[in-house]
Amino acid sequence: MVFFSFIKNGMVKAEERDSMADSWEGLFHRNRLVPPSSQTVRLAVENHLIASHGFQLSLNRLTAAHLPQDLSAREDVTYQLRVTLFDRKHQHFFGKTWKSSPRKMKNKKISFNEVLYLHTSLLLPSTLAVVELVSLSTKPDSSHLSLGRGFAILEPFTNRPEGPGTEGDRRLSLHHGSPRGLLHPSLKDSVDYGKLLKVIDGAHLDYVVKTHPSLNSAVHLLPENAIVSGEDKIPGVIPSPTGDALLRPQLLKMMPFTLDKLTISLQPSVEKFESLLLQLINADCQNTKQPEPEDAKRTVVIQERRLHVGVHNGWCFLDKPQVVVLEPVASGVKGRTDGTFKKSMLVKDSSATSPRPQMLGLRSSLEIKLANNQALAIVFQLEYVFSAPIGRETMLSATSTSRAAFLQCLRWGIWCPFQELADWKGKEVLLVLQGGAKPNPLEVMVYSTESSVQTHSLAAFSAPSTVQERSEAKDVIRFWLLSSVEKKPSSPRASLRTKQEDASRQRASPSSPSLSQKRIPPTSPPESPQGPGLSLSQLAATSRYPTISHSSSALPWQQSFPSLLHPSPLASAHQLSHVACSAVSKITHLEVDLHREGGEMTSKEEEGDHLQELPFTPVHAPVITLGMNVPSSCSVSSRSSLAHLFSAGFPEILDCSGQVAEVLDPTEPMPFDPQREETDLLQGNLLVFQFLAFTRIPAAAVDSDWPRNIYVTFQFYRFPPVTSQQLQLLTSYKVRPKVNEALPCVLATINKDGSVNTGSPGLQVQFRVDDSFLRPGEKRWFLRHLALHTMHIDVWDSDSLLLIGSTAIELKYMLRQGKTAVQALHELEILTTDYVGEDTLLPHPDLGSRSASSPMTVCTIVRGRLHIRTGSIGCPADPSRKRAADGISSYSHIITPLEVTSGFKGGSLSPRNILQLNARNTAQEHRLGGDRVLLNRNRIRAHNITPEVQNLNTDSRRRKLDCMAAVHRLEAKENTKEANVMGLKPAAQLIREHQPSDEYSKAEGIANMLSQAITTQHLLYASLGSAEYMEFVLKNPFNVPQTVTIHSDDPEVSVITDTEEWRYFKALTKTSTPLEENMFHVEEASPGPRVYLRPKESVHIPLKYQSFLCNHTIAVQGPSFLPTGKGSQMAKKTLSNIINAKIIKVTFRAEDGKPMAICQVNVAPTPHVVDQTFRLYHPELCFLKKAIRLPPWQGPTAEDPNTCTHIFVHCSDPNIICQTRMLVPGEPQDVYLKVPGSPSPHIKMFFVMVFTDKWMAAPSQIWQVYVHFLERVDVSCVTGQRTCQSLVLRGKQAVRKIKCFSSHPKEIEVDPASVFVLPPAAVQELQLRVQPWQAGSRFLYVNAVDMDQQRLVAAWLLCLNVHRPVLSKAFEVSVPVGNGRGSSRKITYTNPYTSTRTFLLRSDHPDLLQFREDKFQIGGGENYTIGLRFAPSQSPGSVEILVYVNNLEEKTEETFCVKVNYS
C-alpha cells in the first residue's frame, strides 16, 4: 500500500504542489527518496557491486501514432514524461519520480529532448526504469486532470544480448495501462514483461543511455538512485550557462570553518532531563519483559552522549557526519577546551551540589567545510548511548558481556549559515533543537514527550535571532562559527611557547595569587578529529570511551582511528633524507599521507588546501636546497694548499700523442657546439675521474682527524654503479698549516691486505665511450647528457660505513670541443642535511607531553671538500673493436616479413632441418636464446632412437656436440649462460636438450616447422621506461577477406589502437607510412584488437614495446675493489639494474583461429641513464610516505599562456605506490611515494620515471632512490647531562669481529668502544651514553660493522628529544671586539652537600669559553671560584653560553647562563 500510494501521488496525481523557495527546507521536503529493498542491496554487495557509477539517460522523441484519446480532454492538452526506478524481483518502486516539463504534440510526435542523470550501485538485471507518458489538461471547473497514456520499461543493466544495454541509440515501445500494473501478483518472478503487457501500436520513445564518468566528481552532492536533470537545483554545483550543470559538473569551493565553544542546554536541566528519560526507558523495559527477581538491580544507564555534525544540501549529506563525545560541564564554561580544567568542570556525581546549572559541552573545536550557498545547512543530532541489561532469555554465551548498548536520537536541529540576512560573524549562534515524529535528514526516530512536542512544534526552523528571545524554555545548542580567516590556528611553536611562558611564570613566583589561581587559556583549542560510526559491539565495551579520541594535536597523517594511543612526539620528523639534486630540477620535499581514513584518496581540492596549511617547516629537504646552485667547483684553497696538493705527484692526464691535456677553468662559462662534437675526427672518448684529496672541516660533534678513511659511490651515464675501495687520508706533518686553515689530505688507496698504496696517490677511474659502446644514434644523446647533467657522488666513512655527505659534479667540462684532450680541477663541497626541532623546556606536569607537530629546522652542513680532476681524452676509432650494431641492418621501425621462396623438401623433422628452414626465412640477427627455446620444443622420444644411434662412438659424438655448442655460442650467448648456471658444460647442455621426450609427435614437429616459417624476428634495443615503436607489415595471403586478431604473449608489447598516439609515434620516429583512422576494433572479452583485411591486402600494424620493471640488485654496503685495467683502474661493464632480456611473440590469427603471421621481438636490454639520486633513511618495518614537490616543468608559452605540462610517473617496483596529481595549472606538482618497510639494515633501491609527454614515449628524468631502513630508538634527555640507553645486538651464523660507531662521537659513546667478538646466535648488550649539547629534536646514527668483511651488521636511528635544563643563575658579560686577548671572569660556586664532592665543568660552546680547571674538588658547604676565559671575537654580537656543573656521573647539579656581548 505504501508503494501504491507513492506511485499514485508521484506519477498520476491530478494536482501538483506549488514550488517552494530554493531554501534548504524546500529542497529537503521535495527530494525525499524511497530506499531500495534491503535484499536487493545485499545482493549487489554479494556481487561486489559496491561502487556507485554515474549514468546519463537521454529521452529524445516520442512517436504516438495510435495513442488512446480522451474525449473529455480539450485541445490545450500537454504531455509529460515521468521516470521512476523499479525492482522487478521484489516488485518495489524506489528512488524519486522525475517529471519533465509539459510538451505539446505535433504531427503525432512529441519532442522532449530531456537529459537525465543518476548514480547507482544496483547494477543488477532486476533494476528497471519505468517511463510513463501522462497527459495534462484543465477541466471546465479550472481543476487539473492528469491521465496516464501508457508506459515503457527500460532495462539498463540486462545481461541478455537482445536487451538494450548501456550504450547507443535505442527505442522503447509503450504499453497499455498504468505502471501500477507491475505490482500485480501475476507479474511476480516474471523475467520478460513483453509477453504479459500489450504494446501500443506505433508508439515508441527514442532514448540513449550511457555511462557518465564526469558525474563521479559530484556524487557526494546527490543521493544514490535519485533521477535528476541538469536543470535541477543541487547546492554545491555551479549552475551552467547552457542549463545542463551535470554534463561537466563544476563544484563550489569548500572553505574550512570551525565550530567552537559548543554547548547544549536541555530543559528543564540536564540532570532532570536525563532522570526523566531513564525513568521512562526503565519503565518501558519493565513493561515489555517478564519480571525477574534481579530486575531491581538491572537498570538502563547512560553510557555516552554523542553529537553528530554534518553538512546537508537538501539532498544528502556532503560527507559522513562527524561523531564527537559530549561531557557535562558547568554552564559558565561554555565549551572549555583545555584538558587541565577537566577536574574543575566535570560533574561526576549528579547528587553533588553545584553552584551553576549543568549543560553538555564539547571539549574541543570541530572543523567542517562549507560553501557559500544558502541551501547548505549544518545538521546537529544529539544521540545517547544506553547500556541495557541482558536478560536470561538471550542466547549469549557465558563469555559475553552482561550488558548491551543501544542508540537513541533525542534532539536534532539544522542551521543555514548563508541564508539571507544571516548575521552570525563575531556572535554566538543559538539554535533550537527539535524532537518528535518529524522528517529529519538522518531518517531516524527522535525521542519526544507530549510536552516537548508542544514546546518544539512552534520553532521547527527558527532562525538564530528569533531563538535567542525564547531560549529559556527550549532545548538550545550554542556555538561560535569561525572562518579560516577569522580563526588563525596557532602553530605548535606558538602554543608551546605560551605553555613555556606560563610554566616559567609559575616557577618564578609560585606564591603569586594571580598565577596560582588564574590560568591563561591557550590561544586556540586543539582540533577535534573525525570519529567513525560506532557499532553496537564497540559500544558495549567496558571502556568509557572505546573508540572516539576526544582531542588530538597530531597531524592528520599521524592519527589512526580508532585508537587510544597518542602518537610519538617524534612521529612528525622521524623520516630522514640525505638527498642531492641539481639546480635544474629544483625539488623540495614534504611529508604527506597518500590515503585518508578508510583508504580513500583525497580529492585534488582537499589535497591542495592541506598542503598550503602545513603549520611546520618541511622536514624533508634536499642536500642542495631550493635556490642553491650545484656545489661550488671553484677553488677556495689557498695557493700554499694547492702547492701542497700537487706536490704529491698525481698522474698526469695526457692525450693520445703524450701531451698534457688542456686545462679548463670551472669558474668560466663553457661554450658548447654540438656540431663540433659530432664531427670530431677522434670519435672515441676516454673519460677520466681522478679523486685527489679530501679537506676536513672541523665540527663540534666529531674528532679533528675525522674521517680517517673514506670511499665513494657514483654512477656515470649508463655504466654500472661504481663503489670504490678504501681511501686513506694522508696527513703531511712537514707542512704546518696556518690558523683556521685546513690542508687537503691526499687520498691513497688501501690494498686488500690493508697496506696503503703510497706509490700512486689518488684514485683514477676511466670510462671508454666509443662506437663499440654506443648504440646507433646514441652519441647525440650522450653529448647532451654531458652538457646538461651533473653526476651525483656519495662520500662514505669506510670505517663506520656512515654517509659523510653528497655532492654533484658538472659534466660539461668533459666536452672536448675539437681539442685532443681537456681536464678540469673541481673542489666540491660535501653537503649533508641535519634536522633540529625547536628548543623545549623540561616536561612539566601542567604542560603534558610535547606536541607531535613541532616544526623542524633544516640545516645544510658542509662536511668537507672533495678535490676531483676530470679529463676527456680523444681516441681514434679502433677498427679491431667490433661495433655493437655490426651485423645488423640499418635500424628501421618497419618489420617486413620475408617471402618464403622454397618449401619443405622432405626428410626428417629434426631440429637441424627446422633450424635450416628458419635460417632461410628469417633475418640474420642475434636470437637471444631463441634456438634453445626451439630445441626444448622439439625433443625426440626415447623409444624412437635405435640402439645403433645410442652406441655411437663417444669421441665422435662429443666432437659433433662441441661443434654445435660453438655455433650456438656465436648465435645465442644465452645458451651458454644458462648452461653455466645449471652447472653443465655446453656440450652436456646440448645432450640434455637432445634427450628423448614423450611429448614429441610428428604433428607437433610439422606445426613447429610451419610456425617458424611464418615467424619474423626483430631485434630491439630497449631501456627502462623508453617506448620502442615498431610497425609490422601484415598481409592477407587469402583471396577472401579476413578479420585478424592480434595477440601478444607479454603485455610489454602492445598494439597502438589510439589514432592520436599512433600519429605521435610516427612523427617521433619520422616513419612515413600510411595512417588510418579507426583501424582497430577492440572488445573487452577479445584476446586482442581486431583488424579487417581485404583479399591480398597489406596493412601496417603499429606496435609498442615499453617496460617499467627492472632488476633491483644492489651491492652490499661497504667499500670494494675495482678491477685493474691497462695501466689504470677501469669500471666494470657488467649490465646491472636493467630490464630483463626476453623473447615476445605477437601472433596474428585469422578467423579460423590459426596463425597467419608471427612477429618475434627479441629484446636486448641496455642500461638507462640516472638523472637524480635520492638517499632516504627511515625506521624499519614502517611505510615510508614521501612527497616530492616539483615546480612547473615547463612554463606557459607566449602563444598559449594557459598551457601546462602534465607530468606522469612510474615506479620500477610494483610493490611501491607512485602517483602524481595536478592541482591547479601553474601550481607545483607533487610526486607521491609509499614504500613498504624492511628489516634493518636492509637497503631498498628503485627507480622513478618522470614523463612530460602525454603518451610517455621516453622518461624526461629517471630518479634512483635508496631507502635505508634502520632500527629506531627514542631517547629523551637534557642538554649537558648524560643519559644511558641499552641496545641489543644478536649474532648470526658465523663468528664476527664487531665494532660500533656513532655519527656524533662527542655526544654518543658506545660501550664496548673497541672491537669485540660476537659468537653465533649470541646476544650482546650495547650501552649508549648520550650527552647532547643542543636542545630540540635531533637524529643520530649508530652502526655495527664487521671489521673483517667491512660490511654493515646492524644500524640504529636515534631520535633524540633534547630538553633545555632548568637555569639556576644568569650572568651577563661584555667582551671588547678586536683586542685579540679576550676576557676573564669568575663565578663563585657553593657545594650544597655536607660532604666533599668532585665536580666537572662543561660548556655548550667550548670554542668560545674555556675553564681554568675542568675538574675541581670542594668540601661540604665550601665555596669555589670558577675561572672563565672568553675567546676574542672580531665581530660584534651576542651569544648565550650555558655552563654545566656536573658530578662524576655526568649528572647536572646546576646550570648557569652567561650572556656574552661582544662590543
Side-chain angles (χ1 to χ4, degrees), residues 1319-1377:
V1323 177
Q1324 175 69 40
E1325 182 180 4
L1326 305 177
Q1327 283 289 336
L1328 298 183
R1329 292 189 286 268
V1330 183
Q1331 191 172 8
W1333 304 103
Q1334 185 179 2
S1337 300
R1338 303 185 58 200
F1339 306 94
L1340 288 73
Y1341 308 90
V1342 174
N1343 281 1
V1345 181
D1346 186 343
M1347 300 305 293
D1348 292 336
Q1349 302 294 329
Q1350 284 297 313
R1351 293 296 179 259
L1352 188 63
V1353 177
W1356 291 272
L1357 172 63
L1358 302 184
C1359 302
L1360 303 186
N1361 189 7
V1362 186
H1363 305 281
R1364 290 184 297 175
V1366 179
L1367 302 179
S1368 55
K1369 294 181 181 180
F1371 304 91
E1372 188 171 6
V1373 63
S1374 297
V1375 177
V1377 176

Side-chain angles (χ1 to χ4, degrees), residues 1113-1414:
T1113 304
I1114 60 176
V1116 182
Q1117 185 175 353
S1120 64
F1121 292 89
L1122 296 175
T1124 303
K1126 297 180 180 180
S1128 63
Q1129 296 177 339
M1130 304 291 292
K1132 291 182 290 184
K1133 293 186 179 181
T1134 57
L1135 301 180
S1136 63
N1137 298 327
I1138 59 175
I1139 60 177
N1140 297 324
K1142 59 175 62 176
I1143 298 176
I1144 303 174
K1145 286 190 176 182
V1146 181
T1147 307
F1148 303 85
R1149 298 187 182 275
E1151 294 179 354
D1152 56 359
K1154 296 181 180 179
M1156 180 185 299
I1158 299 175
C1159 177
Q1160 179 174 313
V1161 180
N1162 301 324
V1163 180
T1166 58
H1168 54 271
V1169 177
V1170 176
D1171 302 282
Q1172 193 98 346
T1173 301
F1174 297 88
R1175 198 172 292 274
L1176 311 175
Y1177 288 80
H1178 192 71
E1180 63 175 348
L1181 304 178
C1182 297
F1183 278 98
L1184 168 65
K1185 299 175 183 178
K1186 186 74 175 175
I1188 304 176
R1189 169 158 291 185
L1190 300 173
W1193 201 271
Q1194 183 178 359
T1197 59
E1199 293 79 4
D1200 188 2
N1202 296 323
T1203 58
C1204 184
T1205 302
H1206 292 275
I1207 299 177
F1208 308 91
V1209 292
H1210 263 283
C1211 183
S1212 61
D1213 191 342
N1215 297 322
I1216 296 174
I1217 299 176
C1218 182
Q1219 299 173 344
T1220 182
R1221 303 188 197 97
M1222 176 63 72
L1223 304 179
V1224 179
E1227 291 295 322
Q1229 190 165 0
D1230 295 337
V1231 176
Y1232 299 92
L1233 296 177
K1234 184 177 181 181
V1235 185
S1238 299
S1240 172
H1242 179 71
I1243 303 175
K1244 181 172 290 187
M1245 188 273 295
F1246 57 91
F1247 298 94
V1248 176
M1249 291 147 278
V1250 182
F1251 298 88
T1252 55
D1253 60 312
K1254 178 181 178 181
W1255 303 110
M1256 296 189 295
S1260 297
Q1261 281 202 357
I1262 296 182
W1263 302 340
Q1264 187 175 27
V1265 182
Y1266 292 90
V1267 182
H1268 297 249
F1269 292 99
L1270 314 176
E1271 184 177 350
R1272 175 175 177 171
V1273 179
D1274 291 318
V1275 181
S1276 181
C1277 50
V1278 182
T1279 59
Q1281 181 170 288
R1282 178 179 294 174
T1283 302
C1284 296
Q1285 179 76 31
S1286 297
L1287 302 177
V1288 176
L1289 180 62
R1290 302 183 184 276
K1292 304 297 182 180
Q1293 291 82 3
V1295 179
R1296 297 186 180 219
K1297 292 183 179 180
I1298 305 295
K1299 186 175 182 180
C1300 296
F1301 300 88
S1302 67
S1303 59
H1304 296 69
K1306 290 188 176 181
E1307 297 185 4
I1308 300 179
E1309 296 180 3
V1310 185
D1311 186 22
S1314 58
V1315 179
F1316 61 91
V1317 176
L1318 182 64
V1323 177
Q1324 175 69 40
E1325 182 180 4
L1326 305 177
Q1327 283 289 336
L1328 298 183
R1329 292 189 286 268
V1330 183
Q1331 191 172 8
W1333 304 103
Q1334 185 179 2
S1337 300
R1338 303 185 58 200
F1339 306 94
L1340 288 73
Y1341 308 90
V1342 174
N1343 281 1
V1345 181
D1346 186 343
M1347 300 305 293
D1348 292 336
Q1349 302 294 329
Q1350 284 297 313
R1351 293 296 179 259
L1352 188 63
V1353 177
W1356 291 272
L1357 172 63
L1358 302 184
C1359 302
L1360 303 186
N1361 189 7
V1362 186
H1363 305 281
R1364 290 184 297 175
V1366 179
L1367 302 179
S1368 55
K1369 294 181 181 180
F1371 304 91
E1372 188 171 6
V1373 63
S1374 297
V1375 177
V1377 176
N1379 61 354
R1381 295 182 300 175
S1383 180
S1384 299
R1385 294 292 188 272
K1386 297 179 181 179
I1387 297 178
T1388 301
Y1389 176 73
T1390 303
N1391 183 7
Y1393 300 98
T1394 58
S1395 59
T1396 301
R1397 297 295 179 96
T1398 302
F1399 298 98
L1400 306 175
L1401 293 178
R1402 299 287 186 258
S1403 171
D1404 61 344
H1405 288 77
D1407 55 334
L1408 301 179
L1409 174 62
Q1410 296 180 355
F1411 301 103
R1412 183 179 58 189
E1413 295 177 347
D1414 293 337

Side-chain angles (χ1 to χ4, degrees), residues 1409-1452:
L1409 174 62
Q1410 296 180 355
F1411 301 103
R1412 183 179 58 189
E1413 295 177 347
D1414 293 337
K1415 181 179 180 180
F1416 64 92
Q1417 186 176 2
I1418 183 176
E1422 296 182 359
N1423 295 332
Y1424 175 79
T1425 302
I1426 302 176
L1428 307 177
R1429 178 67 181 175
F1430 297 94
S1433 175
Q1434 302 299 325
S1435 59
S1438 63
V1439 64
E1440 291 185 353
I1441 302 175
L1442 297 182
V1443 177
Y1444 301 92
V1445 181
N1446 295 350
N1447 56 21
L1448 294 178
E1449 297 179 356
E1450 291 290 356
K1451 301 295 182 183
T1452 301

Side-chain angles (χ1 to χ4, degrees), residues 111-126:
S111 297
F112 287 99
N113 297 326
E114 296 281 358
V115 181
L116 309 183
Y117 302 91
L118 83 153
H119 69 95
T120 181
S121 60
L122 304 179
L123 309 182
L124 300 172
S126 61

Side-chain angles (χ1 to χ4, degrees), residues 509-582:
S509 56
S511 60
S512 175
S514 61
L515 293 178
S516 60
Q517 297 177 4
K518 186 177 180 180
R519 183 67 182 269
I520 300 176
T523 56
S524 63
E527 303 299 333
S528 176
Q530 178 177 350
L534 306 184
S535 63
L536 293 179
S537 60
Q538 291 173 323
L539 291 172
T542 57
S543 172
R544 179 173 176 83
Y545 308 115
T547 57
I548 296 183
S549 175
H550 299 284
S551 63
S552 174
S553 60
L555 296 177
W557 54 83
Q558 296 165 343
Q559 297 178 0
S560 178
F561 302 107
S563 175
L564 296 178
L565 301 177
H566 296 285
S568 171
L570 294 178
S572 64
H574 65 262
Q575 298 169 326
L576 307 181
S577 67
H578 289 283
V579 187
C581 70
S582 64

Side-chain angles (χ1 to χ4, degrees), residues 856-875:
M856 301 295 297
T857 301
V858 183
C859 303
T860 303
I861 302 175
V862 180
R863 288 292 187 88
R865 292 193 295 271
L866 184 63
H867 301 263
I868 300 179
R869 183 163 57 184
T870 60
S872 178
I873 303 173
C875 303

